[in-house]
């Protein structure tokens, strides 16, 4: 895997704080072959699906066909790790979970029997989306790191692929991570972040890290310009709108019909005529002055 300087978030070739180059190197140090690609279709060329872990960053950028292929690989024994999937991705894969909204950040303990999580212990998670189990298959799910009433990490066993012999290795699994920040270069050394990330990614001898390109025409969740704005922009616009309303109400108190008021002083009529005349002269309003005269 060659290093890259493109600086994309969650890119294993990026040394930026939000990249994952440090994690890729740690996984390689554990004897795992790490490859990186921008094309999810390249996962179809895996020679041994039962011995590969596929990480899909920004899964909403992948096509439905690519997600279907990943589901097939999971049924053949692959681990498919989805980093921050949204509701469209979960629905396209037919997983028995629902995606919640933003949950508060925290450092929860695993509270599950997943070996990778129990080894890592507490990890700083939350701050983004989380998951809740739904449907009749909810009992088969492993829900880890609860934040409020949802879990930030969920393991969903994949159904066995049709025609796969029973004596072969068991089916793979989907690993849903609601906030992948603990995998980045900036936060990999916090609490049990490194232990959890390495434990999830070194179960097989091959790791394929897929980062689809932004703006793919066949993406399962196509986003418009407003969707690309940071989360704080709508809040800032709302605050500016409220400020404009308050300003309009404050200024509106000065509007209304004229109200006659007694003058606090007596002004001679000659001074008033002279003042008006000077105003007409300054404005060169000859026609108006002649009409008044």
């Amino acid at each position: 895997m060659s290093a890259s300087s493109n600086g994309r978030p969650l890119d294993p070739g990026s040394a930026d704080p939000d990249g994952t180059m440090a994690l890729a190197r740690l996984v390689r140090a554990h004897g795992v072959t790490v490859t990186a690609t921008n094309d999810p279709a390249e996962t179809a060329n895996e020679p041994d699906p039962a011995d590969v872990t596929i990480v899909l960053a920004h899964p909403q950028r992948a096509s439905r066909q690519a997600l279907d292929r990943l589901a097939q690989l999971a049924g053949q024994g692959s681990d498919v790790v989805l980093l921050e999937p949204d509701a469209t991705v979960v629905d396209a894969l037919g997983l028995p979970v629902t995606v919640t909204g933003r949950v508060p950040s925290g450092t929860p303990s695993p509270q599950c029997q997943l070996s990778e999580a129990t080894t890592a212990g507490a990890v700083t998670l939350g701050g983004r989306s989380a998951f809740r189990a739904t449907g009749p298959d909810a009992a088969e799910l492993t829900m880890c790191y609860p934040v409020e009433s949802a879990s930030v990490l969920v393991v969903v066993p994949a159904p066995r692929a049709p025609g796969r012999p029973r004596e072969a290795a068991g089916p793979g699994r989907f690993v849903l991570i609601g906030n992948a920040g603990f995998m980045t270069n900036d936060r990999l050394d916090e609490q049990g972040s490194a232990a959890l990330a390495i434990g999830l990614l070194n179960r097989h001898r091959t790791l394929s890290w897929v980062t689809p390109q932004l703006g793919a025409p066949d993406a399962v969740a196509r986003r418009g310009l407003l969707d690309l704005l940071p989360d704080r922009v709508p809040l800032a616009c709302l605050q500016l709108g409220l400020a404009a309303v308050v300003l309009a109400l404050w200024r509106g108190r000065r509007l209304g019909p004229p109200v006659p008021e007694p003058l606090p002083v007596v002004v001679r009529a000659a001074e008033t005529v002279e003042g008006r005349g000077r105003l007409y002269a300054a404005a060169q309003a000859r026609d108006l002055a002649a009409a008044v005269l």
Side-chain angles (χ1 to χ4, degrees), residues 5 15 47-48 68 78 98 122 156 185 195 203 208 224 258 266 269:
S5 60
D48 185 8
D68 291 341
S78 300
T98 58
V156 183
N185 302 326
R203 297 180 71 245
S208 178
V266 177

Side-chain angles (χ1 to χ4, degrees), residues 130-196:
F131 312 97
R132 293 190 181 96
T134 59
D137 299 331
E140 300 180 3
L141 275 59
T142 303
M143 314 291 292
C144 297
Y145 296 101
V147 178
E148 291 186 339
S149 60
S151 298
V152 186
L153 190 150
V154 179
V155 177
V156 183
R160 185 181 296 271
R164 185 173 176 80
R166 287 289 179 182
E167 60 274 9
R173 63 181 186 176
F174 291 98
V175 181
L176 281 62
I177 300 175
N179 185 354
F182 72 96
M183 293 183 169
T184 60
N185 302 326
D186 188 41
R187 295 174 53 189
L188 193 61
D189 60 344
E190 298 178 358
Q191 288 94 23
S193 297
L196 178 61

Side-chain angles (χ1 to χ4, degrees), residues 73-90:
L73 293 174
Q76 297 172 3
S78 300
D79 279 9
V80 178
V81 181
L82 303 175
L83 304 184
E84 303 175 3
D86 59 12
T88 57
V89 175
V90 171

